[in-house]
């Protein structure tokens, strides 16, 4: 991690645009912006700027483009693929002070917000008027809505309600050259031209900076039931998930924790999970009370038929929250165990889940590695998490080989190398194998069209 300051002229210009209190340049301040949630990757930026308006973002980008200075857009830096890890001497454009909810429109079921609003605040603002914003990444207490859209984040309710993309009705973006473009509207239907906003959702800060978002809200489900099923075999949990889907039930949540994760969560949060279990499955159904009652019964039955040794149903909201927190704390709990935590994101069609979880276990044994696996099982989205130590070079080589095998197997099963964390720096070496040369080439052409000088997140997704 090293770097030199941008020139005085650059810093003076940035201070003129956003004000001197909105620019960080001291090394001790910059250190916290050198990394995101991804293990091992870090680079010291040249400076950090905190714009509060679209006009300021446009002025920063126009100037950076003229000077060909790399700009790394950053929300809260919780990303897990190195998306907001700086380029040496770059400008980090951090959106956390650009963070107002602009409108909740109950007539049109929409919410308009600035990019730095924390995801939880979006959900709470919707709830305050009896509405619902479903995407709930595990990081929702700290992540920003701009970061969620840039990564097309999923969450614990993705199975039934979809991911962030499904709730974006409009976007304001600023291109690398400083042009401000609005796309989308409050209409339920609109086919005027290409669906351009979709190009920017999941573009990981490589095409533009998102400066305003128009989100779709839906009515809040009337009720919810939370169940926890305990298994002595991990593949039995995976088979339960496949069977629930096959039985045409779409629960709002089907999350799982394996034995290593259960132990870490218990040590960390003391929820009362069974330490001798091989896997637990968190299941939630929501909607009309009659449907919820029926689905909960069916899920319990299916889990038992597939070998669950116990199924408990939360008797109160507090108990449901406690069970859900077992899943929400999984990453933090695993991260306490070893110095380095590498969280992966392999995703497969749901029919292939049992094969994938068995394969991950086998890889862990063969490479003598500690891998805790948890994740959005109902989406086929698994998070095999390597508990390791980056200073142990020999072990890191084994981690690398194990990762390659896991990604290759996921692709072979018809899956993908990342279900929700994005490519960034971490998955770049595996992208071409997963999606093919031609797809990567089309993406390169898009990048060239929107960012001709490669100033936005250069080197992310594909090489500079
Ligand atoms: C404990 C934990 C749990 C998590 N759980 C989930 C989960 O359940 N589901 C999931 O999908 N992810 C999850 N994540 C990953 C992460 O939280 C998401 O990717 C999140 O959307 C990142 O938001 P952020 O504000 O932290 O963005 P950052 O990490 O700051 O940035 C992420 C990417 O978006 C770009 N970006 C940020 N803001 C903008 C903007 N305004 N315009 C253009 N580009 C922008 C950045 O350049 C970068 O490429 C988890 C992470 C942690 C640490």
């Amino acid at each position: 991690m090293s770097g030199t300051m941008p020139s005085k002229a650059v810093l003076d210009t940035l201070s003129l645009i956003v004000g001197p209190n909105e620019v960080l340049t001291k090394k001790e301040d910059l250190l916290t912006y050198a990394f995101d949630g991804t293990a091992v990757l870090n680079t010291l930026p040249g400076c950090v700027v905190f714009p509060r308006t679209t006009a300021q973002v446009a002025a920063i980008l126009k100037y950076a483009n003229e000077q060909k200075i790399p700009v790394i857009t950053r929300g809260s830096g919780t990303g897990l693929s190195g998306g907001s890890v700086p380029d040496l001497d770059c400008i980090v454009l951090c959106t956390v002070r650009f963070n107002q909810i602009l409108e909740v429109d109950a007539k049109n079921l929409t919410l308009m917000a600035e990019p730095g609003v924390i995801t939880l605040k979006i959900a709470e603002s919707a709830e305050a008027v009896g509405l619902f914003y479903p995407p709930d990444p595990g990081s929702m207490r700290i992540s920003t809505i701009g970061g969620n859209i840039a990564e097309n984040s999923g969450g614990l309710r993705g199975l039934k309600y979809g991911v962030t993309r499904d709730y974006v009705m409009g976007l304001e973006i600023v291109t690398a050259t400083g042009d401000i473009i609005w796309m989308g509207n409050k209409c339920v239907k609109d086919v005027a031209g290409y669906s351009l906003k979709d190009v920017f959702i999941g573009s990981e800060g490589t095409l533009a900076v998102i400066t305003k978002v128009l989100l779709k809200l839906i009515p809040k489900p009337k009720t919810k039931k939370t169940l926890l099923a305990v298994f002595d075999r991990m593949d039995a949990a995976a088979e339960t998930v496949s069977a629930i889907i096959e039985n045409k039930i779409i629960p709002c949540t089907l999350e799982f924790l394996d034995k290593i994760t259960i132990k870490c969560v218990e040590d960390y949060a003391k929820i009362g999970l069974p330490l001798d279990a091989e896997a637990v499955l968190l299941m939630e159904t929501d909607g009309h009370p009659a449907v919820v009652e029926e689905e909960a019964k069916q899920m319990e039955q299916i889990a038992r038929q597939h070998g669950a040794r116990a199924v408990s149903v939360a008797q109160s909201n507090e108990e449901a929250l406690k069970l859900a927190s077992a899943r929400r704390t999984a990453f933090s709990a695993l991260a306490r165990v070893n110095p380095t935590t590498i969280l992966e994101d392999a995703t497969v069609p749901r029919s292939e889940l049992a094969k994938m979880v068995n394969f991950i276990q086998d890889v862990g044994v063969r490479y003598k590695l500690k891998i805790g696996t948890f994740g959005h099982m109902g989406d086929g989205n698994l998070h095999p998490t390597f508990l390791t130590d980056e200073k142990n070079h020999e072990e890191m080589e084994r981690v690398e080989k194990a990762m390659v095998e896991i990604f290759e197997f996921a692709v072979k099963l018809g899956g993908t190398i990342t279900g929700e964390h994005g490519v960034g720096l971490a998955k770049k070496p595996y992208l071409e194998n997963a999606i093919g040369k031609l797809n990567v080439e089309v993406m390169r052409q898009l990048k060239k069209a929107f960012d001709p000088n490669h100033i936005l997140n250069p080197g992310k997704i594909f090489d500079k």
Side-chain angles (χ1 to χ4, degrees):
M1 197 194 287
S2 64
T4 54
M5 285 290 179
S7 69
K8 185 172 177 307
V10 171
L11 294 176
D12 285 350
T13 306
L14 292 173
S15 292
L16 264 179
I17 295 170
V18 291
N21 292 335
E22 313 292 331
V23 183
L24 301 180
T25 55
K26 287 190 195 139
K27 189 170 175 192
E28 59 269 33
D29 290 332
L30 300 182
L31 274 170
T32 46
Y33 296 86
F35 50 87
D36 64 2
T38 322
V40 184
L41 304 169
N42 57 63
T43 306
L44 205 63
C47 64
V48 181
V49 287
F50 297 94
R52 290 169 189 263
T53 66
T54 301
Q56 289 176 349
V57 172
I60 295 166
L61 292 189
K62 192 165 184 297
Y63 178 70
N65 191 49
E66 281 162 10
Q67 303 292 319
K68 298 197 172 52
I69 305 170
V71 176
I72 310 301
T73 310
R74 182 184 179 97
S76 296
T78 65
L80 293 170
S81 57
S84 55
V85 172
D87 207 53
L88 198 62
D89 296 337
C90 72
I91 299 169
V92 166
L93 187 158
C94 186
T95 63
V96 293
R97 297 181 191 171
F98 191 2
N99 61 355
Q100 299 303 305
I101 301 259
L102 301 172
E103 179 196 72
V104 180
D105 180 348
K107 280 194 179 137
N108 284 303
L109 304 186
T110 59
L111 183 153
M112 183 93 79
E114 292 176 347
V117 176
I118 299 299
T119 317
L120 182 67
K121 196 171 162 201
I122 301 269
E124 286 173 348
S125 304
E127 206 163 327
V129 294
L131 293 171
F132 186 37
Y133 176 70
D136 61 340
S139 51
M140 70 186 293
R141 288 178 180 280
I142 37 173
S143 66
T144 63
I145 191 68
N148 291 174
I149 294 173
E151 295 287 3
N152 188 21
S153 292
L156 278 64
R157 303 184 191 117
L159 172 60
K160 178 169 176 179
Y161 291 104
V163 295
T164 303
R165 178 186 300 281
D166 302 308
Y167 295 86
V168 180
M169 294 183 76
L171 284 182
E172 179 186 80
I173 56 138
V174 181
T175 64
T177 45
D179 293 317
I180 301 165
I181 307 175
W182 169 259
M183 38 196 119
N185 52 45
K186 292 183 181 178
C187 299
V188 174
K189 296 167 111 179
D190 178 9
V191 291
Y194 297 155
S195 182
L196 270 186
K197 68 177 166 51
D198 284 291
V199 172
F200 295 91
I201 302 167
S203 66
E204 302 186 25
T206 62
L207 297 182
V209 178
I210 298 159
T211 46
K212 201 185 284 175
V213 309
L214 178 68
L215 301 171
K216 176 172 95 174
L217 306 177
I218 61 174
K220 198 170 175 304
K222 284 202 169 68
T223 186
K224 183 165 87 173
K225 239 187 169 86
T226 306
L227 298 88
L228 190 85
V230 181
F231 295 87
D232 292 325
R233 278 183 23 243
M234 175 110 113
D235 52 2
E239 282 157 12
T240 299
V241 169
S242 300
I244 289 174
I245 308 287
E246 204 181 338
N247 275 274
K248 301 176 184 60
I249 301 170
I250 303 291
C252 68
T253 297
L254 267 183
E255 299 281 318
F256 98 112
L257 311 179
D258 76 350
K259 189 170 192 159
I260 293 180
T261 315
I262 293 170
K263 161 112 184 39
C264 295
V265 167
E266 258 322 282
D267 286 349
Y268 177 59
K270 312 249 175 314
I271 286 161
L273 299 175
L275 288 172
D276 59 338
E278 282 298 319
V280 295
L281 204 56
L282 175 77
M283 310 187 284
E284 275 184 344
T285 158
D286 68 356
H288 189 280
V291 176
V292 166
E293 199 59 42
E294 174 69 24
E295 284 190 348
K297 267 195 203 129
Q298 276 180 284
M299 289 198 295
E300 178 173 352
Q301 216 171 35
I302 293 170
R304 289 191 191 279
Q305 279 163 0
H306 285 81
R309 74 162 191 235
V311 182
S312 52
V313 183
Q315 297 303 324
S316 64
N317 207 16
E318 290 69 44
E319 216 179 304
L321 283 174
K322 198 170 145 190
L323 292 181
S325 75
R327 167 58 186 89
R328 287 198 183 276
T329 53
F331 180 44
S332 318
L334 286 165
R336 293 163 73 234
V337 179
N338 280 45
T340 308
T341 314
I342 303 178
L343 188 143
E344 285 310 338
D345 192 21
T347 303
V348 292
R350 288 166 293 199
S351 54
E352 307 296 329
L353 271 168
K355 280 185 209 154
M356 194 68 220
V357 291
N358 282 338
F359 186 80
I360 293 168
Q361 274 190 328
D362 172 58
V363 164
V365 173
R366 276 194 286 118
Y367 286 99
K368 299 188 181 60
L369 293 168
K370 198 166 190 185
I371 309 178
T373 303
F374 66 98
H376 315 289
M377 214 174 209
D379 305 339
N381 184 191
L382 303 173
H383 295 316
T385 304
F386 296 84
L387 310 182
T388 179
D389 182 354
E390 64 188 283
K391 293 198 184 90
N392 182 342
H393 299 295
E394 186 275 325
E395 184 168 285
M396 288 303 280
E397 274 174 26
R398 278 184 280 131
V399 168
E400 190 60 43
K401 285 184 185 149
M403 259 173 3
V404 170
E405 280 205 30
I406 288 172
F407 292 144
E408 281 178 355
F409 193 68
V411 171
K412 206 165 125 193
L413 292 178
T416 175
I417 56 172
T418 171
E420 59 181 15
H421 296 160
V423 177
L425 291 171
K427 304 286 170 60
K428 198 166 66 164
Y430 315 102
L431 183 66
E432 198 172 295
N433 180 45
I435 65 168
K437 234 187 176 109
L438 213 53
N439 263 308
V440 175
E441 189 46 39
V442 172
M443 289 183 195
R444 277 186 196 282
Q445 297 295 333
L446 268 175
K447 167 85 175 159
K448 212 163 143 189
F450 286 106
D451 180 16
N453 289 326
H454 273 244
I455 62 156
L456 292 174
N457 259 350
K460 310 275 170 71
I461 303 184
F462 25 68
D463 287 331
K464 288 180 201 178

